[in-house]
Each structure stands twice: as structure tokens, then as C-alpha cells.
Amino acid sequence: MAMHIALTFDENFWAPAFATMRSVCLFTQTPEELVFHLCHRTLSRGHKADLEAIRKEFAVELRWYDLDQSDLFRDIATRMPENKRLSNIVYARLMIDKLVGPDVERILYLDCDMMVRDDVRYLFDIDLEGNSIAAVRDTAGALITGGRDLLGNRDIFNPADYYFNAGMVLIDITKWREADILARMEEAYATGVMQRIYYDQDLLNLIFKGKWHRLNWRWNLIDARVVHESFDPAIVHYTGDMKPWGTLAGLFRTVAFARLYRHVMTNELFYRFAKHRWMRWWKKTLRIG
């Protein structure tokens, strides 16, 4: 049975996307059953070739979606509040049901700052017990919704409610479509709610309040540090400022599995991505100066 997995990324995140995709393949017993839905902003020919190279190692299927060619995505990205750190690519997951074909019944969405260390077949076999999605509780949920002193947005969120991290979401496509997420987003935008909340993650928590299956923390270990390695997480989520693709992360051993991550990305791509980031930073610095 096919296992459908969706990733969203832009031109400056192609290498982490490859690492996430390759980690899924490496730690899944039947990688030939994997179908990756690559939802991306327009890529250079070379970066697309880097991602396509996964098929030289694993017999996976790749399905490409250039979001810059989508009128729907361009409209959303232009109007909705933009997360400067994550970019407006985050809104792509809201329209995943509009992108995938009728053969997709269940799909696993993964952020590209993740590394998988366990067989994702487990997620495709679980009983959602009538829920629309499955996810992991975000340990920082109350701070995300309530902010300083947990006083913000109390008319929108109740801090007593469980809040999930949307970096890993197992989606029942039929129920996702029934939720009519884009219409709910437009309603939230018209009433000013979208301008107050934490982008699409807050929106998803509002839409699926009480309708999500809570997974064990192993399937989305948030802000993974070295001390967490002994806990044997299934999916490592690098939500902190220090990322495993930063050379200092490996030098100072600040994030979990930094050495493993470098080899999952592959040495060649890891250092080429480091050069890409330094060149990007240097060009930005010169423009500012």
C-alpha cells in the first residue's frame, strides 16, 4: 500500500527537504511504497536534480507541484500574514487536498526541518478513531497562543485545550476536504482573526479543535537537543534557532543527532548547502551595507 508524504519548501530549503525525504527512505522497511508530494516554489534546475537524485538510491515516486504556477497559492501567499522566519510557503499545506490526486486517501505532512528515525508505516496503519488528523501536542502551545503572561487571544484560544504542532500532521484527505480549510481561513481573515494568530498552525488548531488524534511525543520531538538522543525519538524536529545543517551545531554538539543528520543529507550536499547559505548571507549583507 502506498505511503503518501507531502513536503513544502522553497529554493533556499532544497537540501533540508532532501534530508527529510532521504531519512524517511532510510528508516522505512519498504521505501518502494513511498510517494513524495514535493510542493515547492520554483526551483533551479540543479536543485531539482539534487532532489530527483533520491531515485538513484530508492525506488520511490516523486510528484512535483510548482506553487508559483498556482493561482490559488499566489493569491493566498499575497494576502495572508507572512511569517518572516518561515516564509509564506507554510500556507501550502492548507491546500494539500487541492493538489493531490483522487488516489490519495491519507497523507503525512512533514516540515523540512525534520529527520525521521523510525518506520512511518506505523502512522499509516493507526486508527484515527474518526478524527480528521493525527498530531503531537506542542509543549509550547500555551505560549504560542497566549504570549506574555498567557493573556493574549483569550477570546480565541483556551490555554486548557490541547494544542498540536503542525510540523507533522497525518491527514485523512476526505475529512480535510470536508473541513473546507481555505473557506475557514478566508472567514478568519475577514474577521481579523488571521491577523492576530500564529499563521496556519493556529488556524489548524482552531479548525480541528477536539477532532485530532493525539500521537505519542516520539513522532514529533520538538526543539531536539543532544540530551534527547537517549529518548530514541521517531521524528526529530529542529524547531530551535540552531539547525543541524549549521556547521557550528556539529562542532558544539547543540542539537540532537547532528552528525547523523549530516550523513543523511550526505556530506557533499551538506557542504554545498553551507556554501549556498553563506553566499546568500553575504549578498544580503552587501545589499544592507
Side-chain angles (χ1 to χ4, degrees):
M1 183 179 72
M3 293 178 282
H4 295 272
I5 297 175
L7 307 178
T8 61
F9 56 96
D10 59 21
E11 172 70 358
N12 290 308
F13 230 70
W14 95 99
F18 176 84
T20 298
M21 181 167 58
R22 187 167 184 255
S23 72
V24 175
C25 296
L26 287 167
F27 288 92
T28 296
Q29 293 289 342
T30 54
E32 67 277 4
E33 296 178 347
L34 294 168
V35 181
F36 289 100
H37 298 256
L38 304 179
C39 310
H40 61 92
R41 306 296 297 267
T42 301
L43 297 170
S44 68
R45 184 176 300 178
H47 291 167
K48 187 173 183 179
D50 287 333
L51 287 153
E52 288 177 333
I54 193 74
R55 300 190 71 253
K56 297 177 181 178
E57 187 177 5
F58 301 100
V60 301
E61 181 181 348
L62 304 182
R63 299 184 187 179
W64 298 89
Y65 309 88
D66 187 344
L67 298 171
D68 288 325
Q69 302 305 311
S70 166
D71 292 337
L72 179 59
F73 175 77
R74 290 201 307 269
D75 176 58
I76 293 171
T78 299
R79 293 187 297 109
M80 295 298 158
E82 181 176 354
N83 186 318
K84 299 299 182 183
R85 183 173 64 87
L86 300 176
S87 89
N88 51 23
I89 193 73
V90 297
Y91 291 108
R93 62 183 156 197
L94 299 184
M95 53 184 283
I96 194 70
D97 59 311
K98 310 292 185 184
L99 299 173
V100 301
D103 62 316
V104 181
E105 297 179 0
R106 180 178 287 197
I107 193 165
L108 176 63
Y109 170 83
L110 297 175
D111 273 354
C112 291
D113 57 352
M114 288 182 155
M115 180 173 68
V116 175
R117 299 182 55 258
D118 212 332
D119 196 331
V120 297
R121 169 57 69 189
Y122 168 84
L123 296 173
F124 287 90
D125 289 343
I126 65 171
D127 183 359
L128 288 177
E129 300 176 353
N131 292 291
S132 305
I133 63 172
V136 172
R137 186 183 184 185
D138 196 317
T139 53
L143 283 172
I144 293 171
T145 59
R148 182 175 297 177
D149 298 332
L150 308 185
L151 294 174
N153 288 341
R154 292 290 287 276
D155 58 322
I156 302 175
F157 292 100
N158 183 344
D161 291 332
Y162 281 177
Y163 178 99
F164 62 84
N165 181 278
M168 188 287 293
V169 183
L170 182 67
I171 299 170
D172 180 307
I173 286 292
T174 298
K175 292 185 180 299
W176 186 273
R177 287 195 176 106
E178 290 173 353
D180 203 0
I181 291 172
L182 295 185
R184 295 285 297 276
M185 180 180 65
E186 293 292 354
E187 178 185 350
Y189 184 73
T191 58
V193 170
M194 281 301 297
Q195 293 84 335
R196 296 172 54 192
I197 64 178
Y198 187 70
Y199 310 102
D200 63 319
Q201 179 166 280
D202 272 6
L203 178 68
L204 290 173
N205 271 274
L206 289 173
I207 293 173
F208 294 114
K209 177 181 176 181
K211 301 176 183 176
W212 60 282
H213 179 77
R214 186 179 175 188
L215 293 169
N216 185 277
W217 63 267
R218 291 188 66 246
W219 291 99
N220 186 357
L221 176 59
I222 299 165
D223 197 13
R225 306 297 180 92
V226 172
V227 69
H228 296 134
E229 291 184 355
S230 61
F231 297 158
D232 189 29
I235 298 180
V236 183
H237 194 178
Y238 300 106
T239 54
D241 292 333
M242 190 69 77
K243 304 295 186 183
W245 51 81
T247 52
L248 293 180
L251 180 63
F252 295 112
R253 293 278 290 147
T254 54
V255 300
F257 303 104
R259 185 181 181 192
L260 174 63
Y261 184 91
R262 172 163 59 90
H263 292 296
V264 168
M265 184 180 279
T266 74
N267 259 351
E268 189 273 334
L269 192 57
F270 182 88
Y271 289 109
R272 186 147 51 84
F273 183 52
K275 181 180 178 181
H276 171 86
R277 289 185 297 107
W278 276 109
M279 292 296 294
R280 183 167 169 246
W281 175 85
W282 182 247
K283 291 178 181 177
K284 183 178 179 181
T285 301
L286 288 178
R287 285 200 300 269
I288 293 174

